[in-house]
Amino acid sequence: MNKIIIKGKNSDSEIFIGNSIDILPEYLPKEKVLVITDDTVGKLYNTFFPEFPTLKINSGEVSKNLSTIEYLVDQMLDIGVDRSWFILGFGGGVVCDIVGFLASIYMRGIPFGFVATTLLAQVDASVGGKNAVNVFGYKNIIGTFNQPKFVVCDPFFLKTLSMDEINCGIAEILKYGLISDSKIFDMLDKNYSEVLNLKTDLIEDLVYRSITIKASIVNQDEEEKNIRKLLNFGHTIAHILEKNQYISHGKAVFTGMKFATELSAQKSYISMEKSKKIVSLLKKYNFLSKYPDKETLISNLSKDKKKDGSNLSFVYIEDIGKAIIKSLTIKELGEDINELLKHSL
Ligand SMILES: NC(=O)c1ccc[n+]([C@@H]2O[C@H](COP(=O)([O-])OP(=O)(O)OC[C@H]3O[C@@H](n4cnc5c(N)ncnc54)[C@H](O)[C@@H]3O)[C@@H](O)[C@H]2O)c1
C-alpha cells in the first residue's frame, strides 16, 4: 500500500493506494459516522460498510443535483447528524461529488472521507478536493474546494466495473500520461489487454502515478488559478460533447483529447509524428465519439464556465508528457476549430 498526501488550505488529505480497505476503521471515528453510497455499490459491497447509519442515493449522474442534497439533508436531520459527525462517501465519482459538496455546506461544514470504488473516482473525482453538483443542466456549476480527510483507493472494488466504466478511468489516466508522464503513455500502449483486464499490479501502478501527478499539481494550485488548469486537457471539448451527445464522461474525454492533440499539431505545438502516435493510442482503446459541428462548439465555448471575459484557457500538448496552457479569445479558438474541422471527418 502507498500513501500520498495533499496539503489543502483547510485540511490535509491522506490518499491510500493498493490493498487498503482494511485501514478504514483506523481512520474513522468510533461513533457518529454516516455512510453515504448509491444503490449499486450498496448492493455489491454492503458487507464492507462500517456499522453505522447508511443512506443510499440512486446510482449515476441523475443523482448529482440539489434534490439529492435536499433529500440527504432531510434524512441527516432525522438521524441527528450535527457538526460532531463524520461522513464517509462509499462509491464512484457521483457519490464523491455529492458527499464532498454536502459535507462542505451542511451546518457550514463537517469532516468527510471517501472509499472510491470506480477507476475514475480513484484517479480523479475522489482526489484533489473539488466537488460540485449540476443545476439546470449545467454540469458542476455549484461546488466548493474542500479536501476529504482520507481517500481509500483499493483495486479490489474495481473488478465489478463495466468495460465502459473502466474506459472512463483509463481516459483520465491517459490524460495524466499526456500532460506529465510519458511512462504512463507507454504502459497504456504496451499493456492494452492487461490494462482492460485490470491486472492488479499494473492498475495499482497506474493509479499511483496518476494520483502522484494530481497531488503534485493540487499542492501547487489547489484552487485552479494557474497550473491546475493543465488537468483540463481534453475537457473543454469533452464537456461540450457530454452536454450535446449524452455520452459518458470517459468517451467525451477520449474524444476531447484527440481534438486537443490535433489542434496542437495544427498550431505546430507538437510534431505531426507525435500527434499521430497519440491519436493511434486513443483509437486503440476504441472509445471515441464524433466531433460536434462548429456552431455547437463555438456557442458552447462562449458559455464555458471557465472562461475569463472573452478569453479562454485552452490546454495544448507539446510532447507526450508535456502540456501547455494558452489563453486565447473565443474568436481565435473558433478560427482554429474551423480550420481543424475542415480537414477532419
Ligand atoms: N470532483 C472532481 O474532481 C471530479 C473529477 C472527475 C469526475 N468527477 C465527476 O465524477 C462523476 C463520474 O464518476 P464515475 O464515473 O465514478 O460515476 P458514478 O459514480 O456514477 O459511477 C458509475 C457507475 O458505476 C457504479 N459503480 C460504482 N462503483 C462500482 C463498482 N465498484 N462496481 C460496479 N459498479 C460500480 C455506480 O453505481 C454507477 O452506476 C461525474 O459526475 C464527474 O463530473 C468529479
Side-chain angles (χ1 to χ4, degrees):
M1 181 179 76
N2 283 296
K3 180 164 99 170
I4 294 173
I5 296 181
I6 291 185
K7 298 212 154 291
K9 185 178 58 168
N10 297 328
S11 125
D12 286 0
S13 187
E14 294 182 76
I15 301 144
F16 300 96
I17 301 136
N19 182 3
S20 49
I21 189 63
D22 293 344
I23 59 137
L24 192 55
E26 227 180 281
Y27 279 80
L28 279 178
K30 300 284 167 274
E31 53 173 15
K32 295 189 180 176
V33 175
L34 173 71
V35 181
I36 297 182
T37 188
D38 71 14
D39 286 339
T40 310
V41 179
K43 275 196 201 100
L44 286 168
Y45 295 114
N46 60 355
T47 53
F48 288 85
F49 294 177
E51 288 191 10
F52 292 114
T54 299
L55 296 175
K56 278 189 206 162
I57 60 173
N58 292 328
S59 302
E61 191 73 20
V62 282
S63 283
K64 224 178 89 168
N65 54 42
L66 289 173
S67 311
T68 305
I69 298 289
E70 274 185 339
Y71 160 77
L72 290 169
V73 167
D74 189 35
Q75 299 289 312
M76 285 160 73
L77 290 170
D78 274 357
I79 295 169
V81 175
D82 62 26
R83 291 177 60 130
S84 61
W85 281 58
F86 186 97
I87 309 188
L88 176 70
F90 207 120
V94 167
V95 167
C96 295
D97 265 357
I98 285 278
V99 168
F101 183 61
L102 176 65
S104 304
I105 56 171
Y106 184 80
M107 297 190 176
R108 299 201 175 80
I110 58 177
F112 64 102
F114 297 137
V115 175
T117 61
T118 63
L119 188 55
L120 174 72
Q122 294 195 354
V123 296
D124 199 1
S126 68
V127 174
K130 277 212 290 191
N131 60 63
V133 298
N134 311 329
V135 182
F136 299 134
Y138 287 93
K139 203 168 148 59
N140 298 335
I141 203 72
I142 57 170
T144 72
F145 288 98
N146 192 11
Q147 299 294 338
K149 294 279 176 227
F150 64 79
V151 183
V152 168
C153 299
D154 192 321
F156 169 80
F157 296 104
L158 306 179
K159 302 285 176 202
T160 44
L161 292 177
S162 68
M163 196 45 80
D164 270 11
E165 283 306 329
I166 294 170
N167 267 319
C168 286
I170 291 169
E172 299 297 343
I173 294 173
L174 178 54
K175 175 193 77 180
Y176 293 116
L178 291 174
I179 64 169
S180 185
D181 182 357
S182 62
K183 181 84 198 301
I184 291 184
F185 183 93
D186 293 339
M187 287 164 78
L188 290 177
D189 199 11
K190 293 200 183 95
N191 305 287
Y192 169 76
S193 353
E194 290 90 337
V195 169
L196 290 182
N197 286 318
L198 299 175
K199 189 167 172 279
T200 304
D201 51 349
L202 184 64
I203 284 295
E204 212 175 297
D205 195 4
L206 287 167
V207 171
Y208 178 73
R209 283 172 177 275
S210 300
I211 298 177
T212 303
I213 294 165
K214 184 155 187 184
S216 150
I217 290 177
V218 173
N219 278 333
Q220 296 169 67
D221 176 25
E222 188 180 13
E223 294 192 354
E224 203 172 311
K225 302 230 163 54
N226 42 69
I227 168 185
R228 189 166 180 168
K229 291 181 183 160
L230 285 173
L231 297 172
N232 293 329
F233 178 66
H235 284 60
T236 308
I237 302 298
H239 289 148
I240 300 175
L241 281 159
E242 268 181 288
K243 194 160 169 238
N244 291 279
Q245 294 184 3
Y246 306 104
I247 54 174
S248 69
H249 183 68
K251 196 171 233 186
V253 171
F254 259 93
T255 314
M257 291 194 293
K258 177 168 175 284
F259 197 97
T261 302
E262 290 178 345
L263 216 49
S264 306
Q266 179 179 289
K267 290 183 83 70
S268 304
Y269 294 143
I270 189 167
S271 71
M272 201 49 86
E273 183 207 348
K274 290 271 171 63
S275 141
K276 281 190 176 147
K277 195 171 170 195
I278 296 169
V279 171
S280 143
L281 180 62
L282 288 165
K283 286 185 174 161
K284 188 165 164 180
Y285 277 85
N286 196 18
F287 207 51
L288 287 164
S289 183
K290 284 196 318 240
Y291 290 160
D293 57 47
K294 186 194 162 206
E295 286 68 32
T296 307
L297 281 169
I298 305 298
S299 72
N300 280 274
L301 283 173
S302 331
K303 291 184 218 141
D304 192 299
K305 68 174 184 284
K306 287 180 176 150
K307 90 178 157 51
D308 175 15
S310 58
N311 274 49
L312 192 79
S313 294
F314 196 86
V315 187
Y316 295 93
I317 188 150
E318 287 184 317
D319 198 351
I320 296 170
K322 190 160 187 288
I324 36 159
I325 306 161
K326 298 264 182 195
S327 174
L328 67 176
T329 62
I330 308 278
K331 184 163 176 290
E332 286 165 336
L333 188 55
E335 283 162 7
D336 292 343
I337 286 174
N338 199 20
E339 189 60 25
L340 181 69
L341 291 182
K342 268 197 232 158
H343 304 290
S344 69
L345 293 172

